[in-house]
Amino acid sequence: MQNLRFNALHEAQTRQEVHVKLPSIKVSDYFATNVFHDEVMQHYLPADAYKSVKTAIKNGTKIDRTIADQVASSMRTWAIDKGANSYTHWFQPLTGATAEKHDSFFMPTQNFKSIEVFAGDALVQQEPDASSFPNGGIRQTFEARGYTAWDPSSPAFIIERGDGKTLCIPTIFISYTGEALDFKAPLLKSIHYLEEAALPVVNMFDRHATKVMPTLGWEQEYFLIDEALYNARPDLVMSGRTLIGHAPAKGQQLDDHYFGTIPDRVYQYMLDFEQESHKLGIPVRTRHNEVAPGQFECAPMFEEVNVAVDHNQLLMDVMERVAKRHKLKVLLHEKPFAGVNGSGKHNNWSLGTDTGKNLLSPGKTPRTNLLFLTFFVNVIKAVHENADLLRACIATAGNDHRLGANEAPPAIISVFIGDHLQRVLDEVVSTVKSGKLSALKSDELKLNIHNRIPDVLLDNTDRNRTSPFAFTGNKFEFRAVGSSANCSLPMMILNTIMAHQLVQFKQEVDKLVKGKEDKEAAVLRVLKDYIESSKDILFEGDNYSAAWAKEAAKRKLSNVKTTPHALDFLLTKKAKNVLVGSGMFTERELLARYEIFHENYVKKVQIEGRLIGELAIDYVIPAAIDYQNKLIQNVMGMKSIGSKPTVYKTQTTIIESISGHVNAIYVNTEKMIEARKKANLIKHEPDKSKAYCDSVIPQFEIIRSHCDKLEQLVDDQTWRLPKYRELLFTK
Ligand code: ADP
Ligand code: MG
């Protein structure tokens, strides 16, 4: 067989782009056609049933069984009208991926007759045989059952795969004892908690609002590479990232890829997955090249958090599926290539009301300004108090390679608000301190703040791309989330710490008001305290700089660079107080997550360890020896014609150099295997993951450096693995 690398290169270079035919020119003609959304439900349901479903969704209350039967029957009719013949509960177990188990609508009756059925029971609850999903000890064998339960707040949808169409019902996944086994159940709880905590605060300023909901707009980064080249790299196939590979002569230093012309083949792919996403109601709107070669991004219009999370999970599935049609492979890993930027998933987060207000949008009147300031400052305070939780919730083996690598925020959590808002906060502090508060009873009370804040909207240039958590005009952008992450966890943590904070805020204001302080003055007084006590979390400078790491240490902000150590933040007294105290998790649910996240880390690193050993021994060393033999032959030939050693000095130098690297690879691979064996003996998962992190991973770098040196030394024709330039620049 010819070298797999060259076959793959040939295949990739002769690839034709796949032209996509869109259902219509206007997306609005086919947007959400595969979604059982509100209007469809209204069309298919009797009026009173529709009304009770809507009320239940709005209030987060249980849906009556008879109503569920009606919803099921209307869903079935709709789905069958659309050509679906099966259904599945669609859920998000703690593996990070989505899960489904299909059942047919078809039901045999007597005498080889059959009908299509789908009853309320099947809609509301299922018991998937899910014993092998991670549960962190929650499900003992005697109570091994797990249930999926319908989440009516996220609409059902139909996935099309050729002629196969499946009705998918978003669900949560819980154990027999009612404990959450997934990402979604705690997210829903946190949304509810935040809604409950935020509404009384909003009502201090706006009596008409009856509902507050968190919103999320994610930005998904990804790499695309040719399928044949991907298949010729065992490390990409098995671990999602390249474990060896020398940096190409040209990387991203010219910045010529960012926002450049999208390559044709990629463009067709984008059109294709976008149209599928649009049919599923995912409102993707933007697409562009990212910084690294072969890297791209897409983003939707923001939505309510719950639906946005589902849509991101769904989008990642759609992207992977559609890529096959284009003979492309989408890489969602946080760091597929060393030396070029990795991928993140910015989570833009805000709060909206049913009166159409964005609570993080600076208002135009004094009253709305104060509302804005209240929420704005409470976010800062919440992050200040719980920065470690935010760090923990984005910790994964993949994200460790990206954070702090001068391409993504460091492991230090801080908040960027910009000069302008900083001045506004300073003014709040100085006005309250000056004691002018009681004199300012009129609308002028708001300390000229109203004269200043609207500028913020205009001043969109005031941005800091290095901050992990930045205010960007009307929302906060959590930038440290990894590209493959399920947004549920970071959103759940953010919702929870904010809710927890708002509850406290309301209590403090109420206390002052009871003590006869004017309400608005009371708000300002509490905000002033918050601004002062959380100023250490604010940072406007370059988060990538070494100076910041020093300064952050002085401020006692933590800077934990690796996952196993960052996960420990989940179990601090403070974290438990917030997460368990608020009822978002039971002790056992929290502990289960802690263990599962460690376990995930161990498994990923374990796989990488096996792979790097395999690559080094089976691919790199044989290629090096092949080339070395060629050189030896050459040297022997030189000798035979009587050449002096000085004439073939280069050859002998390379021969020796190759031997040096080959030996080093061998020795260090043995060391790495020993370290793994030692780590595997550790029973306690959190300790095992720390051993992997601290004693196995450092070996990877050493092995890699020798492999990469060999890649440079060895004759290109002999090298077996597609090189970075080929993976990244083959269009
Ligand atoms: P960027 O310049 O960072 O790419 P954009 O203004 O394009 O930012 O917005 C990025 C994301 O932020 C989009 O998904 C957008 O819908 C989302 N976004 C805008 N407003 C809000 C909001 N109020 N809540 C949540 N996300 C929002
Ligand atoms: Mg952004």
Side-chain angles (χ1 to χ4, degrees):
M1 192 177 81
Q2 210 210 337
N3 185 322
L4 186 58
R5 168 173 159 229
F6 290 101
N7 285 340
L9 273 171
H10 177 73
E11 229 181 292
Q13 277 157 356
T14 51
R15 201 83 82 187
Q16 296 295 316
E17 71 203 44
V18 178
H19 279 273
V20 173
K21 207 165 154 22
L22 296 177
S24 164
I25 292 175
K26 288 190 296 184
V27 174
S28 55
D29 286 343
Y30 56 91
F31 184 68
T33 44
N34 284 342
V35 183
F36 191 73
H37 55 69
D38 197 60
E39 208 176 289
V40 184
M41 188 155 68
Q42 193 167 14
H43 176 78
Y44 279 86
L45 266 184
D48 51 339
Y50 170 76
K51 230 175 107 191
S52 16
V53 174
K54 289 297 288 179
T55 317
I57 293 174
K58 183 162 186 268
N59 302 331
T61 50
K62 233 180 152 155
I63 289 176
D64 185 80
R65 243 331 134 83
T66 54
I67 303 288
D69 272 331
Q70 286 177 301
V71 177
S73 130
S74 65
M75 254 188 212
R76 183 196 63 214
T77 311
W78 170 75
I80 290 175
D81 283 354
K82 306 237 19 136
N85 57 15
S86 56
Y87 66 92
T88 178
H89 276 197
W90 184 76
F91 58 106
Q92 299 171 27
L94 293 165
T95 53
T98 55
E100 49 194 74
K101 178 198 156 219
H102 298 204
D103 280 298
S104 181
F105 288 134
F106 149 81
M107 172 71 85
T109 53
Q110 278 176 341
N111 294 327
F112 294 99
K113 295 224 180 329
S114 64
I115 52 169
E116 261 50 57
V117 291
F118 180 55
D121 290 353
L123 167 66
V124 171
Q125 189 172 307
Q126 267 192 339
E127 194 183 331
D129 176 19
S131 49
S132 47
F133 288 113
N135 67 76
I138 285 182
R139 282 185 304 125
Q140 311 299 337
T141 37
F142 64 86
E143 49 180 46
R145 278 177 292 176
Y147 291 103
T148 51
W150 178 35
D151 164 20
S153 63
S154 182
F157 53 89
I158 291 174
I159 291 281
E160 296 177 304
R161 294 161 77 172
D163 277 344
K165 294 184 184 173
T166 307
L167 170 68
C168 299
I169 297 146
T171 53
I172 56 168
F173 183 39
I174 48 176
S175 74
Y176 180 59
T177 48
E179 280 156 310
L181 295 168
D182 68 349
F183 282 112
K184 277 299 290 289
L187 175 71
L188 294 179
K189 265 193 194 167
S190 76
I191 292 172
H192 193 64
Y193 180 32
L194 181 51
E195 288 172 355
E196 298 268 286
L199 189 60
V201 178
V202 173
N203 286 154
M204 287 169 34
F205 306 90
D206 170 4
R207 258 174 276 124
H208 301 295
T210 64
K211 194 172 160 81
V212 180
M213 48 264 171
T215 51
L216 163 65
W218 38 263
E219 301 164 56
Q220 180 71 54
E221 292 183 341
Y222 59 97
F223 278 87
L224 280 177
I225 62 170
D226 187 87
E227 185 184 82
L229 293 170
Y230 170 88
N231 286 330
R233 289 286 311 216
D235 46 357
L236 276 180
V237 173
M238 308 295 285
S239 75
R241 74 177 181 109
T242 54
L243 298 167
I244 61 172
H246 198 277
K250 172 181 184 289
Q252 61 193 45
Q253 62 273 64
L254 299 177
D255 283 333
D256 50 354
H257 186 68
Y258 193 48
F259 281 20
T261 312
I262 299 169
D264 284 338
R265 202 171 147 210
V266 172
Y267 180 68
Q268 292 299 320
Y269 164 69
M270 288 174 169
L271 289 182
D272 208 0
F273 86 69
E274 284 170 12
Q275 60 126 354
E276 280 227 10
S277 305
H278 287 146
K279 285 194 224 158
L280 288 163
I282 308 171
V284 279
R285 291 194 65 214
T286 64
R287 56 172 103 97
H288 62 80
N289 287 4
E290 256 305 326
V291 174
Q295 192 188 29
F296 307 91
E297 179 186 302
C298 76
M301 172 76 185
F302 70 92
E303 301 174 279
E304 284 186 34
V305 165
N306 180 29
V307 176
V309 164
D310 281 3
H311 279 169
N312 181 247
Q313 287 297 116
L314 199 49
L315 175 101
M316 291 193 286
D317 278 355
V318 170
M319 285 175 86
E320 285 181 345
R321 205 151 29 75
V322 172
K324 290 204 187 96
R325 297 207 276 268
H326 297 259
K327 304 279 184 227
L328 288 166
K329 213 56 208 185
V330 55
L331 307 180
L332 295 169
H333 193 285
E334 284 73 18
K335 191 74 178 177
F337 305 99
V340 291
N341 275 12
S343 303
K345 178 148 52 197
H346 296 175
N347 279 206
N348 296 273
W349 173 88
S350 188
L351 290 162
T353 66
D354 60 348
T355 46
K357 256 191 208 112
N358 174 355
L359 297 172
L360 290 174
S361 183
K364 291 202 174 58
T365 65
R367 187 169 284 272
T368 49
N369 277 345
L370 197 54
L371 174 64
F372 160 73
L373 265 186
T374 296
F375 277 85
F376 182 67
V377 172
N378 272 286
V379 175
I380 296 170
K381 174 78 172 163
V383 175
H384 177 260
E385 297 304 308
N386 303 284
D388 288 346
L389 267 182
L390 286 178
R391 171 64 188 97
C393 75
I394 49 149
T396 61
N399 218 13
D400 281 2
H401 298 289
R402 194 178 76 97
L403 297 181
N406 279 343
E407 55 176 87
I412 312 160
I413 299 291
S414 67
V415 181
F416 169 84
I417 60 170
D419 288 350
H420 194 100
L421 281 163
Q422 183 63 61
R423 282 198 297 277
V424 173
L425 297 192
D426 291 346
E427 204 159 338
V428 172
V429 173
S430 65
T431 308
V432 176
K433 272 189 169 161
S434 73
K436 276 194 242 158
L437 220 49
S438 49
L440 297 168
K441 279 272 153 66
S442 70
D443 264 359
E444 267 163 88
L445 160 76
K446 290 82 199 182
L447 355 120
N448 298 326
I449 290 168
H450 61 289
N451 291 332
R452 295 177 170 274
I453 294 178
D455 298 350
V456 176
L457 277 179
L458 305 174
D459 188 14
N460 216 2
T461 50
D462 191 13
R463 288 204 161 197
N464 182 333
R465 304 233 162 241
T466 66
S467 172
F469 198 85
F471 185 69
T472 50
N474 57 3
K475 61 193 186 279
F476 278 95
E477 189 168 334
F478 190 13
R479 298 217 184 91
V481 185
S483 51
S484 68
N486 183 320
C487 305
S488 283
L489 189 65
M491 286 295 103
M492 183 264 170
I493 295 291
L494 205 45
N495 292 342
T496 303
I497 63 175
M498 181 63 174
H500 194 75
Q501 179 52 51
L502 287 171
V503 169
Q504 233 167 304
F505 171 78
K506 185 75 174 53
Q507 280 168 1
E508 287 176 57
V509 171
D510 286 352
K511 211 165 135 198
L512 290 178
V513 172
K514 250 200 193 139
K516 297 284 180 277
E517 175 127 47
D518 171 79
K519 187 178 74 187
E520 281 158 355
V523 167
L524 282 168
R525 205 179 287 288
V526 177
L527 292 184
K528 175 232 153 214
D529 288 348
Y530 286 0
I531 294 166
E532 285 186 321
S533 61
S534 41
K535 65 177 187 310
D536 275 351
I537 201 77
L538 297 180
F539 181 61
E540 310 292 297
D542 179 2
N543 282 255
Y544 297 174
S545 69
W548 169 229
K550 253 195 186 158
E551 166 67 18
K554 253 199 235 148
R555 296 189 194 180
K556 302 214 163 33
L557 300 178
S558 50
N559 183 6
V560 177
K561 297 191 174 84
T562 55
T563 293
H565 299 279
L567 288 176
D568 283 348
F569 289 141
L570 288 175
L571 295 191
T572 62
K573 219 170 137 196
K574 202 164 164 189
K576 279 191 187 168
N577 179 33
V578 175
L579 296 174
V580 180
S582 63
M584 293 303 102
F585 288 129
T586 62
E587 285 260 2
R588 209 150 72 125
E589 283 173 328
L590 183 59
L591 192 63
R593 274 153 189 79
Y594 175 72
E595 301 244 329
I596 290 167
F597 298 154
H598 277 294
E599 201 180 304
N600 285 347
Y601 180 88
V602 168
K603 283 182 183 155
K604 292 237 160 89
V605 181
Q606 229 165 23
I607 291 171
E608 290 184 352
R610 290 190 193 123
L611 274 168
I612 197 164
E614 220 174 283
L615 289 179
I617 307 295
D618 300 350
Y619 288 76
V620 174
I621 292 183
I625 289 175
D626 278 354
Y627 180 54
Q628 198 182 38
N629 283 340
K630 246 193 220 172
L631 294 172
I632 291 169
Q633 290 256 302
N634 177 270
V635 169
M636 292 195 319
M638 294 280 220
K639 269 188 181 164
S640 73
I641 58 168
S643 304
K644 290 203 184 94
T646 45
V647 177
Y648 47 83
K649 191 166 163 275
T650 305
Q651 286 89 321
T652 45
T653 310
I654 300 178
I655 288 169
E656 279 168 22
S657 183
I658 288 179
S659 287
H661 291 303
V662 166
N663 289 336
I665 289 175
Y666 190 77
V667 169
N668 285 293
T669 303
E670 287 295 304
K671 269 196 201 159
M672 189 257 299
I673 292 170
E674 272 314 303
R676 255 164 49 206
K677 277 188 189 151
K678 240 170 125 179
N680 286 340
L681 292 176
I682 301 172
K683 287 276 171 300
H684 186 52
E685 211 66 33
D687 291 337
K688 190 193 278 187
S689 82
K690 284 175 190 120
Y692 264 96
C693 174
D694 301 335
S695 66
V696 178
I697 288 188
Q699 293 298 321
F700 290 3
E701 277 319 301
I702 303 173
I703 299 169
R704 177 182 190 136
S705 70
H706 290 290
C707 290
D708 292 356
K709 288 264 169 50
L710 284 174
E711 184 184 319
Q712 275 191 311
L713 281 177
V714 170
D715 160 28
D716 187 60
Q717 289 297 312
T718 312
W719 196 253
R720 306 173 182 202
L721 296 164
K723 297 185 172 179
Y724 267 29
R725 64 158 191 274
E726 295 155 352
L727 294 168
L728 290 167
F729 291 96
T730 310
K731 301 250 159 72

